[in-house]
Structure formats: C-alpha cells, structure tokens
Amino acid sequence: MRIVVTSDTHRASRDFFNILDRHRNNADLWINLGDSEKEIELLEMSDPKLNIKCVCGNCDWSSTAPMEQIITFNGKRVFFTHGHRYHVKYGYRELQQKAEAVGADICLFGHTHEPYVEIVNGIYYLNPGAVCQGSYGIVDVVPGGIMAYTNKI
C-alpha cells in the first residue's frame, strides 16, 4: 500500500496537480504536511473521493487542519506534522522524541524544504522536501516492510 506525501506547495499548484495526476491510480492515501492550504481545498473540491489527510503548516493561517495527526496505515503507526513546532530547521531531536513517545513506525514532516529519509531507532523518518522546489515523497508499506523515498516532479 502506498502513501504519497507532499508538503510546502506555497501555491505551486501546477506541480501539486502533476503529482496528483502521476499517482492518482497507485496511491492509497495522500498526506499533506502543510503550507499547501489552497491546493488542498482545490483538491478536495475537484476529487472528493481521494483519501486525503493533512496538517496545517506555519503559513496556513486560516486552516482548520490539526497541527499533527497519528493514524494507522496497513498496520503501521504514522505520526505526521509540519515540523515547525518541533524546530526541525535546527535539528530533529525534538521530533524524534515525539515520534518515539507516540510509538510511531513512520514519522513524516516538512517545513525545511529539504528532502530527507532516515531510519533512527527503528522509526522511518521522511521529509518529502517542497513541492514548490520540485520534490515529494513516497512511502510503501508492504508485508516485507517499509520503503520510504523522495521523488522529483
């Protein structure tokens, strides 16, 4: 099962919808990590059948989305947040502490605009980078395990 992860669109709507078109038929879940408020509104209006989860970012001033979420996806606990409240531009220690505290298998975050994938203490961390800079992420959860990577538009 596949999650497509986006973040930090900052009104690069064309790139955002190109990702949607590329993965519309092979994604089971879409997670947006914030700073994409207008694009998410357009997406929800244009295709209400898509399975979309999102959190708000530091630039989503009128958003009613939560700051963070924890879901179960194909048997794995997924924690996701924009990242600014965990000061991810200055390191990942606070975010790692939170991910460990909530028992996450996968932790998704944005904000830095820098693609990042790493496994720390058994937790998969993925920052998809920024859609406005041509980057997004994929997380595949299959019986053999988890594969997380970033991709270019």
Side-chain angles (χ1 to χ4, degrees):
M1 295 188 72
R2 173 166 286 176
I3 305 171
V4 174
V5 185
T6 56
S7 188
D8 297 280
T9 302
H10 296 292
R11 301 197 185 258
S13 297
R14 176 180 287 173
D15 290 338
F16 183 81
F17 284 100
N18 284 341
I19 295 166
L20 173 67
D21 289 341
R22 182 182 293 178
H23 294 285
R24 183 183 302 273
N25 296 318
N26 67 17
D28 301 290
L29 175 63
W30 298 81
I31 293 181
N32 183 273
L33 302 172
D35 288 355
S36 307
E37 183 176 24
K38 292 297 177 195
E39 290 75 25
I40 294 301
E41 288 176 7
L42 289 171
L43 180 57
E44 289 173 334
M45 288 185 329
S46 69
D47 197 340
K49 295 177 189 166
L50 287 177
N51 186 12
I52 306 167
K53 305 279 186 201
C54 59
V55 291
C56 67
N58 60 303
C59 295
D60 294 327
W61 299 289
S62 63
S63 177
T64 59
M67 297 297 277
E68 55 192 45
Q69 288 196 53
I70 300 170
I71 63 169
T72 299
F73 179 79
N74 204 20
K76 300 297 181 187
R77 192 166 170 87
V78 182
F79 167 68
F80 56 102
T81 184
H82 184 62
H84 62 294
R85 296 181 80 190
Y86 295 95
H87 309 102
V88 295
K89 286 189 177 182
Y90 306 102
Y92 303 137
R93 185 178 53 81
E94 289 179 59
L95 181 69
Q96 289 169 341
Q97 288 173 338
K98 176 67 175 189
E100 289 176 10
V102 300
D105 298 299
I106 301 166
C107 177
L108 308 172
F109 66 100
H111 189 55
T112 68
H113 293 209
E114 296 292 327
Y116 170 81
V117 180
E118 189 170 15
I119 303 169
V120 178
N121 295 331
I123 301 172
Y124 286 74
Y125 291 87
L126 180 131
N127 182 327
V131 170
C132 68
Q133 294 174 342
S135 181
Y136 67 100
I138 301 282
V139 178
D140 289 324
V141 179
V142 297
I146 299 168
M147 178 181 274
Y149 56 96
T150 59
N151 207 356
K152 288 289 189 185
I153 299 169

